Amino acid sequence: SQTIHQWPATLVQPVGSPLSLECTVEGTSNPNLYWYRQAAGRGLQLLFYSVGIGQISSEVPQNLSASRPQDRQFILSSKKLLLSDSGFYLCAWSDQGASGYTFGSGTRLTVV
Amino acid sequence: AQSVAQPEDQVNVAEGNPLTVKCTYSVSGNPYLFWYVQYPNRGLQFLLKYITGDNLVKGSYGFEAEFNKSQTSFHLKKPSALVSDSALYFCAVRDNNAGNMLTFGGGTRLMVKP
């Protein structure tokens, strides 16, 4: 069966520090991968999505970047965090069919 | 373009009463429709989906949703609410002619009071 792993669960980082959040998927190949941010427990903002290795699409201009170095690995990064980067970050994957998305457990990032 | 609307930020119901969380959508082709639930500090969990076939879809935890093509709606329902159903609910749509991207609604917070 397919599983998605996202870590860490919580992170407190100072302003100006770098960020690396990792997401991996098991049990499938060539998944579509997504990074979302959720502020204040409400709506989802799509940050990046990827349909293949090295193929990254950015939905909004921001202080973040994403990379997909392997088929089932998706990394969210920042060189210098801002206070406004605080939020709940969610990774998700989907296949090419009609099964919808499967989400990771999320990372609560607090920038102080 | 595809879009989805959840017109209620919050729905309050008493335990044991029926609940409805509303969702309307817009797509140019045929819709794939989904409901997800999110508990505090957790990822979204899949509840149910409509792809084709019977307009009434049954999902996890006793939830169901009815696809209404003429009203472009996909409301989530449960006959008898539980306090443990209190959570954030998201409706999502995908146009089956427009790739695999889901568009999510803004979410509706369900509060079930004892």
Side-chain angles (χ1 to χ4, degrees):
Chain A
S1 63
Q2 302 93 352
T3 56
I4 179 169
H5 302 281
Q6 187 181 342
W7 68 92
T10 60
L11 193 59
V12 179
Q13 292 283 96
V15 169
S17 64
L19 173 73
S20 181
L21 302 181
E22 189 163 343
C23 174
T24 59
V25 180
E26 297 178 355
T28 188
S29 60
N30 196 31
N32 296 327
L33 296 170
Y34 311 87
W35 277 112
Y36 284 87
R37 178 167 58 199
Q38 186 179 31
R42 288 312 305 264
L44 302 171
Q45 180 186 32
L46 178 63
L47 300 175
F48 301 95
Y49 68 94
S50 172
V51 298
I53 296 175
Q55 300 179 60
I56 309 294
S57 296
S58 174
E59 287 296 299
V60 292
Q62 60 215 330
N63 186 41
L64 302 169
S65 61
S67 62
R68 185 170 177 172
Q70 301 180 42
D71 181 45
R72 291 168 290 177
Q73 184 184 30
F74 205 23
I75 298 172
L76 183 69
S77 303
S78 174
K79 293 182 179 179
K80 291 185 178 181
L81 283 168
L82 305 172
L83 287 174
S84 58
D85 292 323
S86 295
F88 192 56
Y89 289 81
L90 290 160
C91 180
W93 77 273
S94 69
D95 61 20
Q96 309 304 321
S99 58
Y101 292 2
T102 300
F103 284 83
S105 55
T107 297
R108 171 73 59 193
L109 171 66
T110 304
V111 183
V112 296
Chain B
Q2 57 194 38
S3 65
V4 61
Q6 293 181 244
E8 303 153 316
D9 285 344
Q10 183 162 317
V11 171
N12 299 310
V13 297
E15 188 174 30
N17 283 0
L19 69 88
T20 299
V21 182
K22 296 179 180 177
C23 172
T24 58
Y25 67 90
S26 175
V27 296
S28 56
N30 291 318
Y32 293 170
L33 293 155
F34 302 83
W35 276 102
Y36 291 85
V37 60
Q38 185 184 30
Y39 298 100
N41 293 311
R42 303 293 297 274
L44 277 69
Q45 298 177 31
F46 171 80
L47 274 180
L48 50 82
K49 67 180 179 183
Y50 171 82
I51 303 299
T52 187
D54 193 348
N55 289 343
L56 185 62
V57 179
K58 294 187 182 297
S60 307
Y61 312 120
F63 284 93
E64 59 188 27
E66 186 168 11
F67 171 63
N68 187 317
K69 187 173 183 178
S70 62
Q71 297 184 9
T72 61
S73 67
F74 190 57
H75 302 330
L76 181 70
K77 300 182 179 182
K78 187 173 182 180
S80 179
L82 300 173
V83 172
S84 58
D85 292 330
S86 299
L88 188 56
Y89 290 81
F90 289 95
C91 182
V93 68
R94 183 189 128 193
D95 187 330
N96 72 336
N97 293 325
N100 296 314
M101 294 288 290
L102 290 185
T103 296
F104 287 86
T108 298
R109 187 166 301 282
L110 174 65
M111 299 290 292
V112 182
K113 299 184 178 180

